[in-house]
Amino acid sequence: MPVAAGTRYMREVNTAAVLTLLRTVEHTSAPELARQAGLSRQAVSRSLSDLGEAGLVEFLAPVRSGVGSGRPAQRVRFRAEAGHVLGASVSPERIRVGLADLSGRVVAAHDTPPPVSEEIGSEVTARALTDAAHRVLAQARIEVGGVWHASIGVPGIVDPATGRVRFAPSMPGVTGDVLIRALGEATGREVYLDNDVKLATVGELWHGGGHRSMVLIHWGERVGAGVVVAGALHRGAANDAGDLGYLDLFTDAPAPDRGEDDAFLGAFEAWTGTGAFAALGREAARERGDHTLLTRLARPETRTATLVAAVTDGAPAALAALEEITRRFAQGVGAVRALLDPGVVVVGGPMARCGPTLLTALRAHLRRQRLDPPPLELSRLGEDAVVQGALRHSLDQVEHTRLRPPSTTG
Amino acid sequence: MPVAAGTRYMREVNTAAVLTLLRTVEHTSAPELARQAGLSRQAVSRSLSDLGEAGLVEFLAPVRSGVGSGRPAQRVRFRAEAGHVLGASVSPERIRVGLADLSGRVVAAHDTPPPVSEEIGSEVTARALTDAAHRVLAQARIEVGGVWHASIGVPGIVDPATGRVRFAPSMPGVTGDVLIRALGEATGREVYLDNDVKLATVGELWHGGGHRSMVLIHWGERVGAGVVVAGALHRGAANDAGDLGYLDLFTDAPAPDRGEDDAFLGAFEAWTGTGAFAALGREAARERGDHTLLTRLARPETRTATLVAAVTDGAPAALAALEEITRRFAQGVGAVRALLDPGVVVVGGPMARCGPTLLTALRAHLRRQRLDPPPLELSRLGEDAVVQGALRHSLDQVEHTRLRPPSTTG
DNA sequence: GTGAATTAGGTATGTACCGTACGTAACTCC
DNA sequence: GGAGTTACGTACGGTACATACCTAATTCAC
């Protein structure tokens, strides 16, 4: 149903165009905007005065020390502080909340471990989240009403239409709509909730090199991917695209090693996740008589950190484990390459802490495959990717609802 | 760089909206269009008279036998015959050309085997293509100038920006720009050329159920896929997305059977292609003492057709081969499911001629995987998919260049 | 058969937007 | 201090769409 409209619509289009230009620079002037937008200065001025009344634009005093001659232009500035968005990441390890203004600049952040009694009831986790949210608002001296949108990322299967968590094996307490309800009541706004890897992908895409297609692979205990095609996240028919952990490469191969606490692990993540990495590390340490490493790897909760540190220290047993785990992982990257031919593959999650050594090893294995390997990068945001992606999602929502004209054609 | 424009732009938007509405129905009236577009009747009338002068709209006599009372409206009709597009498929087996009007209706088609002396020089194939093109034009009594755009699909690796064929192992004669140059000179228009599987995917998407995401798997001697995400074909960074044939599932598995003439086959297509199917069929026929089938399978050029016929006839040896080949193929479908979670997976190519039996067998294997299997369908267009996709691509080009307003925001 | 009701087409008027033009303001350079 | 340059503000003209009103054509009821 393409729908067209009258002159009022044209005005909205032009105002939105002016605003978009304005948002890309620190400050500028009406004549400059007119040149960039292809509009007359008057049309720009009209739009600017509308935007000024809406609180989105501030008029600044003219700058006197212009190099060229002529009357100095009145400067205008996008008022990024006119509104704010909230982004949160809730995982078994951390509750992270960030507050950003309309330009995406983070003005306050909070990072706290989740309450230990999480399994008692989801209300505890939800309260910890809203507490953190109130804390960042206080920190930035922003009223609750100044939050225009909020998004949350959690590890689990999410229905993105409703924001309900269908299944979250690592934190059963957040199943259902506890989190969006709690944060919704706290902010008075509708809250978006999505899978953490998907939001992390949005975050990496935002701060990455502007790739049109990209795959972020979260490499940890579990393995999951976010698929970006044509500059946008691809969710899949059941919001389950990028479920790399369940890739089954091993038709005729023997059953892969499995970790200990992994009833729900898929074939690929059981074979390549941090559980398998620790098993490989123990084996290599035993073979090489590295008793120090072997002892340290006995503690399950720190085994991945131990092994990653051993890799960066150059311990031979750890490097041997890395060699094997990257050989396996390269098979998954190869499948991604064959199907999607992405512009870049970004590796994130706990394994990414191994650093460039990881990519070097991966690249060596990929070169043995028959297809040209995709460019590899390490996650730029690390732990922050989920919050950044949540902020980006909220900013997108705000831009589409409050900073844009209605779409021309449906 | 968002650019806005004046009232003239608004007019173009509205005219395009009217035209889009008009193209969805047989014929309609100005008041009806006004209601649908949300415009006044006058605005619609102005747009219609512009479109009439451009030859895109025809005014019909009012229909007298209206059911309700009132003055009968003048009817208007989209003149689909105002322009035509040409779509072609060039393969070692056939040269197919179709001519469609602006509504996508095929008004003439031609289907011929390619010249046998193909390897002597590409000019022979190119001339066969232009001959076929002139034939469909004569058949439909259309002047060459009435062709607004043309597209060609070929089996091979193509640079979609230039339309040059980089590598076509099955028909080396078409390497380079011979085909687009020949058809370009014949039609006087720029010609688009792309990989045949990618265009077939566009065709299936067009005539399919309007899925937002879809994967078409061409299953023949080679295996390739077309990936549709968000309603559009995904090409990949090097135009190599969907290269399912090079999927390597078999890290620790023994090297798969390979056909005889397959220096360039990837691991997956060597294991699941029609070559492997024939090998499985021979083995099964030998085991079961089906000498008739064994004899027939000795002829390489008809072995796939023989085996497909045996499958539809219910021959036990053929069904056993089908069972094994679908078991293997299901691994690839599983990888597609895990990474992309498509709304539907369409199976095309020579293997699709096995019919619903193929899908039934595939589904049984997919149910054993841990992820919910995607819906499976057989190709609706079969051999015609490439030509249909080429026509659709040309229609898209025409719509974006001649039937649409300039985009609002860049 | 004739008139009321209904709906479409055509023309005039009003409103809104953009662009051009012109006068005024402010600043720099000589 | 004047010339040159650039920005701002207002006025005017062009174009598009919406509304209003009149005429035309057809159906239905009596």
Side-chain angles (χ1 to χ4, degrees):
Chain A
M1 337 294 140
V3 172
T7 56
R8 174 159 193 145
Y9 167 72
M10 182 166 57
R11 174 68 164 273
E12 288 177 25
V13 168
N14 290 343
T15 302
V18 168
L19 185 58
T20 304
L21 285 170
L22 201 47
R23 295 194 324 118
T24 63
V25 290
E26 201 71 30
H27 53 255
T28 181
S29 66
E32 182 59 29
L33 286 169
R35 274 188 290 274
Q36 292 177 348
L39 290 169
S40 68
R41 186 177 48 80
Q42 288 76 346
V44 171
S45 285
R46 269 190 294 269
S47 290
L48 284 176
S49 77
D50 283 4
L51 290 169
E53 286 173 24
L56 291 171
V57 157
E58 184 180 3
F59 294 87
L60 304 171
V63 181
R64 308 205 161 193
S65 63
V67 179
S69 60
R71 175 174 176 172
Q74 209 173 25
R75 314 297 289 181
V76 288
R77 185 183 74 84
F78 173 58
R79 285 192 70 243
E81 68 274 21
H84 290 81
V85 293
L86 207 65
S89 164
V90 177
S91 78
E93 290 83 34
R94 313 297 291 176
I95 290 181
R96 295 166 158 264
V97 174
L99 183 74
D101 64 21
L102 295 181
S103 73
R105 197 172 59 88
V106 173
V107 295
H110 188 69
D111 185 341
T112 174
V116 285
S117 58
E118 170 203 340
E119 59 278 343
I120 292 173
S122 46
E123 301 297 337
V124 187
T125 310
R127 180 141 347 111
L129 173 63
T130 53
D131 283 355
H134 283 125
R135 203 160 300 185
V136 294
L137 286 173
Q139 194 181 323
R141 298 174 192 282
I142 303 289
E143 298 294 315
V144 174
V147 175
W148 286 8
H149 199 269
S151 300
I152 315 172
V154 295
I157 299 172
V158 175
D159 177 0
T162 64
R164 289 181 66 96
V165 179
R166 291 215 311 261
F167 183 55
S170 62
M171 32 187 350
V174 303
T175 309
D177 61 354
V178 270
L179 292 185
I180 53 169
R181 232 184 36 229
L183 198 56
E185 283 167 13
T187 60
R189 299 267 170 194
E190 214 175 308
V191 174
Y192 179 83
L193 188 144
D194 201 351
N195 172 268
D196 57 350
V197 175
K198 290 206 164 52
L199 283 182
T201 307
V202 172
E204 290 287 346
L205 182 68
W206 181 20
H207 294 286
H211 287 278
R212 298 283 299 160
S213 68
M214 176 192 114
V215 172
L216 169 76
I217 311 185
H218 176 91
W219 191 359
E221 178 77 32
R222 311 198 64 130
V223 176
V227 175
V228 171
V229 165
L233 184 71
H234 169 58
R235 307 195 159 279
N239 200 36
D240 197 25
D243 202 344
L244 204 58
Y246 280 77
L247 195 66
D248 195 350
L249 301 170
F250 316 108
T251 349
D252 300 332
D257 302 337
R258 288 176 180 268
E260 41 271 4
D261 48 355
D262 51 6
F264 297 112
L265 288 192
F268 187 71
E269 56 200 0
W271 198 53
T272 62
T274 51
F277 189 37
L280 288 168
R282 278 193 302 270
E283 192 182 328
R286 211 176 296 122
E287 283 177 5
R288 283 156 209 268
D290 188 340
H291 296 291
T292 319
L293 185 57
L294 202 53
T295 314
R296 288 205 188 119
L297 285 176
R299 289 189 59 195
E301 61 272 24
T302 58
R303 64 187 187 188
T304 304
T306 300
L307 211 40
V308 167
V311 164
T312 52
D313 287 352
L319 292 177
L322 186 74
E323 172 68 14
E324 171 61 14
I325 205 81
T326 52
R327 186 187 70 80
R328 298 178 180 179
F329 197 77
Q331 291 294 116
V333 178
V336 169
R337 161 63 184 85
L339 253 73
L340 289 168
D341 184 20
V344 62
V345 170
V346 178
V347 177
M351 285 296 288
R353 296 204 197 101
C354 288
T357 316
L358 183 76
L359 295 192
T360 307
L362 257 180
R363 285 200 189 96
H365 292 296
L366 286 171
R367 270 197 295 273
R368 299 201 188 98
Q369 297 179 359
R370 294 196 43 193
L371 293 172
D372 292 333
L376 294 183
E377 286 178 15
L378 287 175
S379 159
R380 304 189 187 198
L381 303 173
E383 307 276 314
D384 232 30
V386 180
V387 168
Q388 289 291 328
L391 290 173
R392 181 66 258 172
H393 182 272
S394 284
L395 287 169
D396 286 342
Q397 292 302 308
V398 165
E399 285 176 20
H400 280 88
T401 52
R402 302 182 72 151
L403 310 179
R404 289 247 173 151
S407 64
T408 332
T409 53
Chain B
M1 329 310 135
V3 173
T7 55
R8 174 161 191 147
Y9 167 72
M10 182 167 57
R11 172 69 164 275
E12 288 177 23
V13 168
N14 289 344
T15 302
V18 167
L19 184 58
T20 304
L21 284 170
L22 200 47
R23 297 195 320 121
T24 63
V25 292
E26 201 71 29
H27 53 255
T28 181
S29 66
E32 181 59 28
L33 286 169
R35 273 188 291 275
Q36 291 177 348
L39 290 170
S40 68
R41 184 176 48 78
Q42 288 77 343
V44 171
S45 285
R46 264 192 299 271
S47 290
L48 285 176
S49 76
D50 283 3
L51 290 169
E53 285 174 24
L56 291 172
V57 158
E58 183 182 5
F59 295 87
L60 305 172
V63 181
R64 309 206 161 197
S65 62
V67 180
S69 59
R71 175 175 173 171
Q74 210 174 23
R75 315 294 289 179
V76 289
R77 183 182 76 84
F78 173 58
R79 284 191 69 239
E81 68 274 21
H84 290 81
V85 293
L86 206 63
S89 164
V90 177
S91 78
E93 290 83 33
R94 313 296 291 178
I95 290 181
R96 295 165 158 264
V97 175
L99 184 74
D101 65 19
L102 295 181
S103 73
R105 196 172 60 89
V106 173
V107 294
H110 188 69
D111 186 341
T112 173
V116 284
S117 58
E118 170 201 342
E119 58 280 338
I120 291 175
S122 46
E123 301 298 336
V124 186
T125 310
R127 181 143 343 112
L129 173 63
T130 54
D131 282 354
H134 284 125
R135 202 161 298 184
V136 292
L137 285 174
Q139 194 180 324
R141 298 174 195 279
I142 304 289
E143 297 295 315
V144 174
V147 175
W148 287 8
H149 199 271
S151 300
I152 316 172
V154 296
I157 299 172
V158 176
D159 177 359
T162 64
R164 289 181 66 94
V165 179
R166 291 216 311 263
F167 184 54
S170 63
M171 30 185 357
V174 304
T175 308
D177 61 354
V178 269
L179 292 184
I180 54 169
R181 235 187 30 230
L183 198 57
E185 283 166 15
T187 59
R189 298 267 170 196
E190 215 175 307
V191 174
Y192 179 82
L193 187 145
D194 202 351
N195 172 268
D196 57 350
V197 175
K198 290 205 163 53
L199 284 183
T201 307
V202 172
E204 290 287 345
L205 182 69
W206 182 21
H207 295 285
H211 288 278
R212 298 282 299 159
S213 68
M214 174 193 117
V215 172
L216 169 76
I217 309 184
H218 175 91
W219 191 359
E221 177 76 32
R222 312 198 62 130
V223 176
V227 175
V228 172
V229 164
L233 183 69
H234 169 57
R235 308 195 158 280
N239 200 35
D240 196 27
D243 201 345
L244 204 59
Y246 280 79
L247 196 66
D248 194 351
L249 300 170
F250 317 108
T251 347
D252 299 332
D257 301 338
R258 288 176 179 269
E260 41 269 4
D261 47 354
D262 50 6
F264 297 114
L265 288 192
F268 187 71
E269 57 200 0
W271 197 52
T272 63
T274 51
F277 189 38
L280 288 168
R282 278 195 300 270
E283 192 182 330
R286 210 175 296 122
E287 282 176 8
R288 284 155 209 269
D290 188 338
H291 296 292
T292 318
L293 184 58
L294 202 53
T295 313
R296 288 204 187 123
L297 284 178
R299 288 189 59 198
E301 60 273 22
T302 57
R303 64 188 187 186
T304 303
T306 300
L307 211 41
V308 167
V311 164
T312 52
D313 287 350
L319 292 177
L322 186 74
E323 172 69 12
E324 171 61 13
I325 204 80
T326 51
R327 186 188 70 81
R328 298 178 180 180
F329 197 78
Q331 291 294 117
V333 178
V336 169
R337 161 64 183 85
L339 252 72
L340 289 169
D341 186 20
V344 64
V345 170
V346 178
V347 177
M351 285 295 289
R353 296 204 198 100
C354 289
T357 317
L358 183 76
L359 295 191
T360 307
L362 256 181
R363 286 200 189 95
H365 292 296
L366 286 170
R367 269 197 294 273
R368 298 199 190 99
Q369 298 179 358
R370 295 192 48 190
L371 294 173
D372 292 333
L376 293 184
E377 287 179 13
L378 287 174
S379 160
R380 304 191 186 193
L381 302 175
E383 307 276 315
D384 230 29
V386 179
V387 168
Q388 289 290 328
L391 290 173
R392 182 65 259 172
H393 182 270
S394 285
L395 287 168
D396 286 342
Q397 293 303 308
V398 166
E399 285 176 19
H400 280 89
T401 53
R402 302 181 72 150
L403 310 179
R404 288 243 174 155
S407 65
T408 330
T409 54

